[in-house]
Amino acid sequence: MIRFPAAQLLRIVAIAAILLWSLAPIGLGVITSLSTQTDVQAVPARWLPHHATLDAYRSLLGGSGDFRAGGTVSESGAFTHALWNSASIMMLSTLAILCVAISAGYAFARLRFPGRGALFWAIVATTVVPVFTVVIALFGFLADAHLIDRKLGLVLVFVSTTTPLAMWLVHNHVKQLPTEPEEAALLDGCTRWQAFWHVALPQMRSGIAALSAIIVLLVWGEFLIPLLLTSTNASKPVTVFIPEYIGKYTTNYPLLAAAGVLAMLPPTVVALVLNRHIRGMLSGSS
Amino acid sequence: MDRPDTASTCGIVLEHVHKEFPGGIVAVRDLSLTVEPGELVVLVGPSGSGKTTVLRMVAGLETVTAGQVRIAGRVVTGLSPRHRNVAMVFQNYALYAHMTVRANIGFALRMAGTPKREIHMRVNQAANILGITELLDRKPGQLSGGQRQRVAMGRAIVREPAAFLMDEPLSNLDAKLRVEMRAEITHVHRRIGAPTLYVTHDQTEAMTMGNRVAILRQGRLEQIGTPLELYERPVNVFVAGFIGSPAMNLLPARLDSSGDDWYATVGGCRIPILPPARVALWPFAGHDILLGLRPEDLVSTEDARDSEHGIIQATVARTESLGSELLVYLSLNSDVTSPPLTARLDRRTAVQQGTYTRIGVNLQRLYFFDPTSGAAIR
């Protein structure tokens, strides 16, 4: 008979519970996306579809006009356009956040200038301000700048809300790196900027990879800000677009589920690819 | 101040250099030091003595609060590191981990815009001198400690710098490799001939490698001189205790004279003082002094000659045989509070732990220090 010590048993149970908690909705989503509306609404409930079908995916990606989803018609290409919105917003934001956060975080970690500590903590402190407390003012600003319902507006807001956190992470990462290679570069004839570019930046590679993954996941999953700052399909990202499949009287659940599964793919791929670096950064060995 | 001496045209010159960190911590106090061309000066001192700060100020990695630094006749005090033409070897080598050995060594040349062919040639030359030609295509992560050390040296010598700085370059190596690299650095230094400032906390390194050795304590230069000068004529208790291994024995003693008979009393034993030392000791007659005895100046009684040696009686607390010699740790009389006395005796000396024994003291080689100021009396 295999015997488990109590602590180990508890651990296994806890892990199983966490897995169930996080994977069950995804599993349910995948199953629903492969079902028909009849399967979903069957009484008693069916756990597996009688006739598995990819119709929901076809409809989303191909955009067949006759597929009615609740009160909303799945317009041709609307979902793929929302995916594209999400992707372009995510890429632009990530790039901009990385540029600002890396240079600022590095400067705060390495350069000595008056007011460094105060300025650094003032910026970091903004991370504790919940975004919904400033969102009304933000709306006003963006409206004045004609950036409501524009992707650029969202990118700017994401850059300003996420950069302090990213800068903080970069700062801590740089603090852990030895200063000597950069000093050696200065003695080897580099300017401060060249030492950063040729020596510090390559050293930070895995930290930057981990940070990119974190930013991608944060930006991709953002809901509240795009909900308030977009109004048409021209700029809506998937997170805001998907709930529109929920109709007032009926909802096409397979379509909704398939949209969810598709929206989950890009961040999953990013997380899988950069997983090694994220683990490295969390354990401080990157 | 601008004497047209050789050092001010070619070497490293520090004049009244002072360094105070924010918060009022003084790391270096009024330090003046010259490294002549072709000379290797070792800065040695306990940790926190400011030796690395001195090196970093010469490199330009640390600002100078007051004073002047000159390299090859040029005032560099306010210049950035890249304008000083100085090469430095760091304690942890500071190699560029993402570059190959070849790129590491050639980096400074690349930054200076040297043509590719010349870089290639000079890197090969440096690698040849250091015997690392077969490592040129590897990354630092694939090298052993000794090999990394050589790459760091290569990176420094390839530039033909005006000055060489080394910050404890051997402290991360094992004992055997350290001895090997010590010889190698000395060899490379002779070949390159650039003035070199070498920082270490290891007095053996200082004694074996330095043309001159500068001893720092709490940011102050205690003494500078050839290794032998420091060993033979330490200016104070600190230098006396720092140079030499095992360290010099420093014993509280009382100096007395009756007529022509001068002697120091240590733990109940009388050690005669020879006439040459008496002139300087005159003001201390009847007072306490610190008596310095090098472990190698103590001999077993069989080797002691009456005219040259005084006798100390002590109990053998412990012995350590090093093969070539015998270290004997003694305690004077039964006084447990008295400082222990270390003697370095011939390996064949027969002493037994716990026994009361007589040890000869070479009277020609006594050191005397003022117990209040610590300064040497001579």
Side-chain angles (χ1 to χ4, degrees):
Chain A
M1 194 181 82
I2 305 168
R3 290 191 57 203
F4 292 110
Q8 201 180 347
L9 193 69
L10 199 70
R11 225 175 78 159
I12 292 169
V13 170
I15 291 172
I18 292 169
L19 279 177
L20 192 71
W21 174 263
S22 31
L23 291 181
I26 297 173
L28 196 64
V30 172
I31 291 169
T32 309
S33 72
L34 296 171
S35 309
T36 58
Q37 184 79 339
T38 327
D39 285 324
V40 176
Q41 289 176 332
V43 180
R46 289 177 196 155
W47 289 107
L48 289 170
H50 275 185
H51 304 287
T53 169
L54 289 171
D55 278 353
Y57 291 96
R58 266 187 220 113
S59 162
L60 284 173
L61 298 173
S64 61
D66 61 341
F67 201 106
R68 298 200 166 260
T72 318
V73 174
S74 170
E75 289 166 41
S76 176
F79 181 75
T80 44
H81 189 73
L83 266 181
W84 166 245
N85 283 346
S86 273
S88 52
I89 290 168
M90 172 197 84
M91 284 187 287
L92 273 175
S93 307
T94 306
L95 204 65
I97 294 167
L98 282 178
C99 287
V100 180
I102 290 170
S103 37
Y106 177 81
F108 278 118
R110 285 287 197 257
L111 307 183
R112 291 181 216 161
F113 51 88
R116 177 176 70 159
L119 194 60
F120 175 73
W121 288 112
I123 296 172
V124 170
T126 61
T127 55
V128 301
V129 179
V131 73
F132 49 81
T133 58
V134 295
V135 85
I136 302 295
L138 210 55
F139 190 91
F141 280 132
L142 291 178
D144 290 344
H146 303 289
L147 286 171
I148 295 294
D149 199 27
R150 302 234 348 241
K151 285 186 267 185
L152 181 63
L154 282 180
V155 169
L156 287 178
V157 173
F158 289 149
V159 170
S160 67
T161 53
T162 314
T163 300
L165 174 72
M167 186 202 75
W168 192 9
L169 291 173
V170 171
H171 171 269
N172 292 350
H173 180 57
V174 174
K175 279 275 181 196
Q176 286 176 1
L177 297 174
T179 54
E180 286 87 352
E182 289 157 57
E183 291 176 341
L186 292 177
L187 285 161
D188 272 349
C190 286
T191 58
R192 241 310 160 191
W193 171 256
Q194 286 172 322
F196 166 72
W197 186 257
H198 291 295
V199 176
L201 210 52
Q203 273 189 298
M204 293 159 67
R205 210 164 36 189
S206 84
I208 292 171
L211 183 65
S212 312
I214 294 169
I215 299 171
V216 163
L217 299 182
L218 281 178
V219 172
W220 187 273
E222 195 58 67
F223 177 73
L224 181 70
I225 295 172
L227 179 71
L228 293 166
L229 302 181
T230 59
S231 51
T232 68
N233 286 356
S235 61
K236 274 183 191 170
V238 274
T239 43
V240 178
F241 185 79
I242 292 173
E244 293 185 0
Y245 286 128
I246 301 170
K248 193 171 177 184
Y249 303 106
T250 59
T251 297
N252 187 328
Y253 289 106
L255 194 72
L256 188 66
V261 170
L262 287 174
M264 216 167 53
L265 289 179
T268 310
V269 169
V270 170
L272 285 177
V273 170
L274 299 177
N275 179 33
R276 190 165 57 90
H277 299 292
I278 298 173
R279 269 185 303 167
M281 194 178 200
L282 293 179
S283 64
S285 67
S286 59
Chain B
M1 281 290 172
D2 285 326
R3 280 174 284 115
D5 54 354
T6 45
S8 63
T9 53
C10 302
I12 306 169
V13 181
L14 285 96
E15 262 171 17
H16 304 291
V17 168
H18 191 81
K19 175 68 187 178
E20 190 174 335
F21 283 108
I25 302 156
V26 179
V28 177
R29 292 163 204 271
D30 193 28
L31 176 74
S32 293
L33 181 76
T34 302
V35 186
E36 303 284 348
E39 194 184 25
L40 192 150
V41 171
V42 177
L43 273 180
V44 67
S47 52
S49 58
K51 49 196 194 304
T52 295
T53 308
V54 172
L55 208 64
R56 291 174 61 83
M57 285 194 288
V58 176
L61 297 171
E62 218 49 89
T63 55
V64 175
T65 312
Q68 195 181 68
V69 181
R70 290 202 301 275
I71 297 169
R74 212 159 47 109
V75 178
V76 296
T77 320
L79 292 185
S80 62
R82 71 198 194 97
H83 291 124
R84 295 191 180 202
N85 193 19
V86 162
M88 182 157 164
V89 177
F90 291 83
Q91 183 174 1
N92 55 8
Y93 321 130
L95 299 179
Y96 311 130
H98 59 290
M99 296 183 200
T100 60
V101 169
R102 179 178 287 284
N104 261 281
I105 298 177
F107 186 71
L109 299 176
R110 182 156 75 95
M111 285 295 113
T114 314
K116 272 192 178 160
R117 277 186 57 174
E118 195 187 331
I119 296 180
H120 192 81
M121 199 188 73
R122 280 168 69 178
V123 169
N124 284 349
Q125 216 170 8
N128 203 22
I129 292 175
L130 295 161
I132 49 172
T133 311
E134 72 283 5
L135 306 177
L136 283 176
D137 296 320
R138 294 207 202 154
K139 293 264 181 80
Q142 300 166 293
L143 305 179
S144 69
Q147 290 169 331
R148 283 180 207 186
Q149 179 60 60
R150 283 194 172 83
V151 176
M153 287 285 295
R155 201 168 60 177
I157 63 172
V158 77
R159 293 172 41 194
E160 295 164 9
F164 244 136
L165 306 174
M166 301 202 185
D167 187 8
E168 310 217 10
L170 304 183
S171 58
N172 286 357
L173 301 179
D174 63 53
K176 185 168 171 282
L177 207 52
R178 208 176 299 170
V179 176
E180 238 175 83
M181 284 306 293
R182 219 154 64 188
E184 196 145 330
I185 290 178
T186 313
H187 174 73
V188 170
H189 170 254
R190 281 208 195 107
R191 190 168 168 159
I192 307 294
T196 304
L197 202 53
Y198 185 108
V199 161
T200 181
H201 64 266
D202 179 349
Q203 58 107 8
T204 317
E205 252 171 60
M207 298 296 275
T208 52
M209 298 178 72
N211 298 116
R212 284 190 300 153
V213 177
I215 300 193
L216 254 75
R217 178 170 60 153
Q218 291 173 354
R220 216 183 284 279
L221 182 64
E222 295 284 323
Q223 188 173 4
I224 178 163
T226 64
L228 206 61
E229 269 168 24
L230 297 186
Y231 179 79
E232 297 282 353
R233 297 178 62 77
V235 294
N236 57 30
V237 175
F238 179 76
V239 176
F242 199 81
I243 296 295
S245 175
M248 180 190 279
N249 297 297
L250 291 161
L251 308 170
R254 192 181 163 77
L255 187 69
D256 285 304
S257 65
S258 59
D260 208 26
D261 194 16
W262 283 59
Y263 53 87
T265 314
V266 183
C269 306
R270 276 186 176 196
I271 298 174
I273 292 178
L274 300 180
R278 292 178 190 172
V279 183
L281 283 171
W282 178 257
F284 290 89
H287 292 93
D288 288 338
I289 54 162
L290 271 180
L291 182 67
L293 301 171
R294 291 235 180 251
E296 46 276 32
D297 295 330
L298 300 175
V299 292
S300 62
T301 33
E302 294 93 74
D303 296 331
R305 281 180 291 261
D306 280 351
S307 56
E308 287 174 23
H309 292 89
I311 297 295
I312 280 183
Q313 293 180 324
T315 312
V316 178
R318 193 158 55 90
T319 63
E320 278 174 6
S321 172
L322 302 181
S324 59
E325 62 202 20
L326 184 72
L327 294 183
V328 181
Y329 300 92
L330 304 142
S331 60
L332 285 170
N333 297 335
S334 54
D335 185 0
V336 270
T337 58
S338 74
L341 185 68
T342 312
R344 188 186 219 162
L345 304 182
D346 187 280
R347 66 192 163 98
R348 285 158 302 199
T349 314
V351 280
Q352 277 208 325
Q353 202 168 314
T355 56
Y356 196 61
T357 189
R358 287 154 62 83
I359 294 284
V361 178
N362 187 340
L363 299 178
Q364 308 270 10
R365 302 200 38 89
L366 298 179
Y367 295 84
F368 308 99
F369 300 96
D370 182 336
T372 13
S373 69
I377 307 166
R378 60 182 185 218

